[in-house]
Amino acid sequence: MNNLTTLGEFIVDKQKDFPGSSGEFSSLLSGIRLASKIVSQQVNKAGLLSHIVGGAGSENIQGEQQQKLDVIANDQFIKALTARNVVCGIASEENDDFIKINETGRYIVAMDPLDGSSNIDVNVSIGTIFSIYKRKTPVGTPVENEDFLQPGTEQLAAGYIIYGSSTMLVYTTGFGVNGFTFDPGIGVFVLSHPNMKFPDSGKIYSMNEGNFLRSSKGVQDYINYAKTIDEETNRPYTARYIGSLVADFHRNLIKGGIYIYPSTTNAPLGKLRLLYECNPLAFIAEQAGGAASDGKKRIMEVTPTGLHQRVPYFTGNSAMVEKAEAFIAAE
Ligand code: AHG
Ligand code: MN
Ligand code: MN
């Protein structure tokens, strides 16, 4: 690969990792690449266009207000994935049930089309998260619930797009993690972060500490540990919390840190969704040498029971996740 490798070239080059591949999977990734360019453009315009910013006046299945940009992003990704004819079904945060598409498609996609909605109106980084699986039911039949309720260990690929000070697409197919930065001048994603790995040690912790008193003793103990002064172990850690999972995760991946959304007394399963938030980022975390846990066990081994299932979430540098697990086990 030369030093100006585009995402398009990279996808084609990596097809050789899947011997006998028909190119359908590459076509799926290209669909995601296209939709993310369109959404990136809409995100950049959001502050200018009153019809994009603000609530859409409808609620999604979790009773949350949908933002207009949520709806726009959802439509764009669904359109791009439908056009490729390789996807048989999509589960989205914005749709109560899964969407059936092409019965001849071999893949299913789970996605959070717009993550960090509360940050849209205030010009703060937001993102998209996606996860790709092979269907369980036979090709040529309608897609079923069981196609979506697969553990994260079955993921073929996962990734996110961060719409930040620049737009980046980061993804894995199980052979490491690569990050591409969008160059709006020429309209392409360029490989800017090859083979991404968490730094050896981290010193950032990211949790909505407004939930501190509603968290378990183990989580409180870990947060207090993070704040304790101890030069040898680089503490106190630095607190950073954006409120967009993608942005918090991305920063911690580059700088080293842990992201925590624990169970709380109000939300015993936490807030984040297993299929289209936790599992895809867990796959990336593990491929980058990190870890992802529900506080007790590996996230990717949780058997899903519902499309919009929530799960407590701890992800980042392995040593930090293990430490948090140890405090929880000791509580
Ligand atoms: P979404 O915008 O897709 O609903 O996700 C929001 C999530 C996640 O991005 C973020 O980390 C978390 O909600 C923030 O929750 P709090 O406001 O409770 O901290
Ligand atoms: Mn989200
Ligand atoms: Mn969302």
Side-chain angles (χ1 to χ4, degrees):
M1 294 252 147
N2 57 42
N3 50 13
L4 203 89
T5 303
T6 68
L7 176 57
E9 289 168 337
F10 190 87
I11 291 171
V12 170
D13 184 68
K14 292 297 166 193
Q15 208 173 303
K16 65 178 178 327
D17 289 338
F18 300 93
S21 153
S22 59
E24 289 176 35
F25 185 68
S26 302
S27 164
L28 201 176
L29 288 174
S30 300
I32 288 175
R33 178 185 54 157
L34 173 64
S36 64
K37 287 184 192 177
I38 296 168
V39 172
S40 176
Q41 203 192 21
Q42 298 288 350
V43 168
N44 287 332
K45 288 198 295 196
L48 290 172
L49 302 173
S50 57
H51 70 277
I52 292 181
V53 170
S58 54
E59 286 187 350
N60 66 14
I61 191 172
Q62 277 104 204
E64 298 158 339
Q65 259 278 307
Q66 282 182 312
Q67 298 287 310
K68 282 179 183 164
L69 211 49
D70 287 344
V71 178
I72 292 168
N74 199 36
D75 291 349
Q76 288 301 343
F77 278 94
I78 291 171
K79 236 188 248 170
L81 292 170
T82 306
R84 301 285 155 149
N85 273 341
V86 297
V87 176
C88 57
I90 301 171
S92 165
E93 180 191 331
E94 301 303 333
N95 296 89
D96 301 359
D97 211 344
F98 57 80
I99 303 161
K100 294 180 186 178
I101 342 180
N102 200 306
E103 288 183 8
T104 57
R106 296 195 310 177
Y107 300 103
I108 69 106
V109 174
M111 66 174 180
D112 178 353
L114 213 291
D115 172 67
S117 327
S118 70
N119 283 322
I120 296 172
D121 294 7
V122 291
N123 235 329
V124 172
S125 299
I126 49 183
T128 296
I129 311 173
F130 63 90
S131 172
I132 303 170
Y133 294 80
K134 201 168 257 181
R135 68 185 299 175
K136 285 267 166 214
T137 51
V139 172
T141 64
V143 70
E144 302 281 351
N145 225 22
E146 66 177 280
D147 293 312
F148 296 92
L149 302 183
Q150 303 186 49
T153 47
E154 295 296 312
Q155 290 174 101
L156 290 182
Y160 62 82
I161 297 108
I162 176 167
Y163 312 102
S165 45
S166 55
T167 294
M168 270 189 78
L169 188 151
V170 174
Y171 83 106
T172 184
T173 54
F175 298 91
V177 179
N178 290 285
F180 300 80
T181 302
F182 186 59
D183 181 337
I186 49 174
V188 293
F189 282 99
V190 178
L191 179 60
S192 53
H193 294 61
N195 196 20
M196 295 174 85
K197 294 280 177 210
F198 282 93
D200 289 342
S201 65
K203 62 165 301 183
I204 294 173
Y205 74 100
S206 312
M207 177 179 135
N208 180 347
E209 274 196 74
N211 291 326
F212 183 86
L213 294 175
R214 289 177 167 160
S215 311
S216 68
K217 181 173 180 309
V219 170
Q220 292 184 8
D221 287 347
Y222 179 74
I223 296 297
N224 285 330
Y225 165 87
K227 294 175 173 180
T228 303
I229 298 171
D230 179 45
E231 275 175 25
E232 222 166 88
T233 51
N234 247 331
R235 287 176 291 145
Y237 296 153
T238 295
R240 289 283 185 276
Y241 189 75
I242 295 169
S244 293
L245 171 63
V246 165
D248 281 306
F249 179 87
H250 182 70
R251 183 206 49 246
N252 290 352
L253 170 56
I254 290 175
K255 296 197 166 174
I258 182 170
Y259 177 93
I260 299 176
Y261 210 111
S263 63
T264 64
T265 46
N266 297 38
L269 294 174
K271 179 180 184 187
L272 300 178
R273 277 60 57 111
L274 176 62
L275 257 59
Y276 44 79
E277 292 181 316
C278 302
N279 268 336
L281 298 186
F283 192 16
I284 291 174
E286 290 192 7
Q287 286 292 317
S293 162
D294 67 358
K296 295 187 172 109
K297 65 170 186 292
R298 189 178 172 215
I299 280 288
M300 292 212 286
E301 287 174 12
V302 174
T303 305
T305 53
L307 293 184
H308 301 283
Q309 175 180 351
R310 296 174 196 264
V311 71
Y313 200 42
F314 301 74
T315 187
N317 280 66
S318 301
M320 297 177 93
V321 173
E322 279 160 24
K323 192 76 182 172
E325 283 178 328
F327 275 105
I328 289 166
E331 76 185 23

